[in-house]
Amino acid sequence: MEVSGLAGLARILVLDAGYNTALVMAGSTVLGVAAGVIGCFTMLRRRSMISDAISHATLPGIALAFLFGLAVFGSGRNIVLLSTGAAATGVLGILAVHWIRERTRLGEDAAIGTVLSGFFGAGVVLMSHVQTLPAAGQAGLDGFLLGATATMTADEAVAITAAALLVMTVTLALLRPFAAVCLDEQHASVLGLGVVTIDMVMTALLLLVVVTGLKTVGLILVIALVIIPPVTARFWTDRLGVMLVISGLVGGGACYAGSAASAFWPDMPTGAVIVIMAATICAVSVAVAPTRGVISRLVHARRFRRRVIFRQALLACSRGERPEGAARRMLRSAGVLGADAELTLRGHAQAEATASDWRLWELYLEWYPERALATPEWGSRPIGEVLPADTVAELRARAGSE
């Protein structure tokens, strides 16, 4: 069904632009959610780039599966057959990375680079050979490189949805073991969890997402579905459960918007549009996230500087000095310094309290240097707002006995 204009776009967004379009958008969205969820654990295990090696290792499997199907069945254009071939060489890529990392002196990054380039080169050669064959069906194989959501069939969409639901079901069922291994591998081992087995299950789920995502975003960009959503979620929360929800929403939202754009503009590369959507959400999060965002950090840094200047100015006043410039203006605006550059009654009280508080900070540094140096806000705020009440009481008692 052809659509155009705002009315057509609205029909696409509400899944009213045809059965196939709605099915493709639903399947892509479910895949994005699954990729975002499993990507969180991959990121926490610091193995995000292994998905890059897996994705590039699938290319020769796709070509070989097509050639096998052509020789045996007379046609190699079968999503199950192509996915099986992609998964087979993807597993070989994982095993190759593991072997290089364990049996040689090369690190994981070098192993991934070696496997990625080697398998991808072999895949390009095989794909070039496939394109020279007179058989039908090979023309659509280039869709696995950059994605081809618009040409996805109903059977392919159903297979993708089933695989994505399987990934999410297994992930939720094994949520606690996954979390234990990702957050503290040694503690998980002490608890009797099979760390190696759990890692293998995570990798298998990652492989399944990568293989099923080939048709949606292509093998070159499928890594983005696994990496960008959890990175985005990490800017918003420290809690794993919330992170999984946000990451799934980002992945699903990017796939939904990207597949809708692909349906509205059929000539646009689906995978690239989906990645642009995800990257845009990530960029906005980097800017406006409440704790880790750039704007938040700038505001926090500005408040920190003003707080330090204010406390240092009060300390100077407690020593009989009179601050100048910005420090003086800050004290005046706070009602601490009068127009005659003399401390007000309130200013005297605050200066004495700040001097007493600073003395406790100095004693804390003298008596507990390691703990003091590990305190990020040492001396920048009242000690009672940073340290536990019993520690402050101990400092006051020891200070009074001197």
Side-chain angles (χ1 to χ4, degrees):
M1 178 182 297
E2 294 185 1
V3 293
S4 60
L6 293 179
L9 179 60
R11 293 184 63 184
I12 292 175
L13 294 177
V14 298
L15 305 180
D16 189 33
Y19 172 78
N20 189 66
T21 299
L23 191 64
V24 167
M25 290 179 62
S28 300
T29 301
V30 174
L31 174 67
V33 174
V37 170
I38 193 61
C40 289
F41 298 106
T42 305
M43 186 188 72
L44 292 174
R45 288 291 283 164
R46 294 178 174 84
R47 293 177 179 172
S48 295
M49 291 306 297
I50 194 67
S51 59
D52 202 11
I54 294 174
S55 64
H56 285 74
T58 58
L59 185 58
I62 294 172
L64 290 173
F66 181 86
L67 293 173
F68 175 81
L70 189 64
V72 176
F73 306 109
S75 173
R77 189 64 185 273
N78 182 283
I79 186 62
V80 176
L81 180 63
L82 296 176
S83 298
T84 302
T89 52
V91 170
L92 290 178
I94 296 172
L95 295 176
V97 170
H98 179 75
W99 188 89
I100 294 174
R101 184 183 60 200
E102 298 296 329
R103 300 297 181 89
T104 70
R105 295 183 178 181
L106 297 177
E108 187 172 55
D109 56 343
I112 289 174
T114 303
V115 171
L116 183 153
S117 56
F119 274 76
F120 189 67
V124 170
V125 172
L126 290 171
M127 289 291 285
S128 299
H129 172 65
V130 168
Q131 297 300 322
T132 63
L133 298 178
Q138 74 271 32
L141 291 182
D142 56 356
F144 287 93
L145 292 175
L146 296 176
T149 302
T151 62
M152 187 184 301
T153 65
D155 290 340
E156 292 173 343
V158 171
I160 290 173
T161 302
L165 291 175
L166 175 62
V167 170
M168 288 189 289
T169 301
V170 175
T171 301
L172 293 177
L174 300 177
L175 181 59
R176 289 192 176 183
F178 281 6
V181 171
C182 290
L183 299 178
D184 193 335
E185 179 180 339
Q186 294 181 349
H187 181 64
S189 180
V190 171
L191 293 177
L193 298 176
V195 175
V196 176
T197 302
I198 293 174
D199 271 336
M200 291 176 61
V201 174
M202 286 184 192
T203 305
L205 295 178
L206 175 63
L207 174 63
L208 185 55
V209 167
V210 169
V211 170
T212 53
L214 295 178
K215 186 64 177 178
T216 306
V217 295
L219 65 87
I220 296 177
L221 299 175
V222 69
I223 182 178
L225 276 185
V226 180
I227 295 179
I228 295 180
V231 169
T232 303
R234 192 68 181 88
F235 277 94
W236 292 94
T237 183
D238 290 323
R239 300 174 57 187
L240 179 59
V242 179
M243 181 180 174
L244 293 175
V245 173
I246 296 176
S247 181
L249 290 176
V250 171
C255 286
Y256 175 82
S259 57
S262 177
F264 190 72
W265 295 292
D267 295 333
M268 294 184 65
T270 307
V273 174
I274 289 176
V275 172
I276 288 174
M277 296 293 182
T280 301
I281 298 173
C282 183
V284 172
S285 299
V286 170
V288 304
T291 303
R292 296 183 174 86
V294 174
I295 296 176
S296 175
R297 287 183 177 273
L298 291 175
V299 171
H300 178 76
R302 184 173 182 271
R303 290 176 177 174
F304 178 81
R305 288 195 298 269
R306 289 178 61 87
R307 187 166 62 243
V308 171
I309 292 174
F310 187 78
R311 285 178 61 81
Q312 292 299 319
L314 285 176
L315 286 174
C317 291
S318 69
R319 297 190 296 266
E321 304 172 6
R322 291 296 177 264
E324 300 292 338
R328 173 178 287 190
R329 292 192 296 271
M330 195 179 298
L331 292 179
R332 283 182 177 177
S333 64
V336 174
L337 203 64
D340 56 355
E342 295 295 331
L343 287 173
T344 62
L345 292 177
R346 176 185 173 188
H348 279 292
Q350 287 195 21
E352 291 177 2
T354 303
S356 176
D357 185 79
W358 183 257
R359 175 56 181 161
L360 293 180
W361 276 120
E362 290 179 328
L363 292 176
Y364 184 63
L365 177 62
E366 178 183 349
W367 294 332
Y368 307 103
E370 294 183 359
R371 291 163 56 183
L373 294 175
T375 304
E377 296 183 315
W378 183 92
S380 64
R381 293 171 55 189
I383 196 168
E385 297 180 4
V386 180
L387 301 183
D390 55 343
T391 303
V392 176
E394 178 188 356
L395 292 173
R396 293 187 189 279
R398 294 183 61 177
S401 63
E402 288 187 344

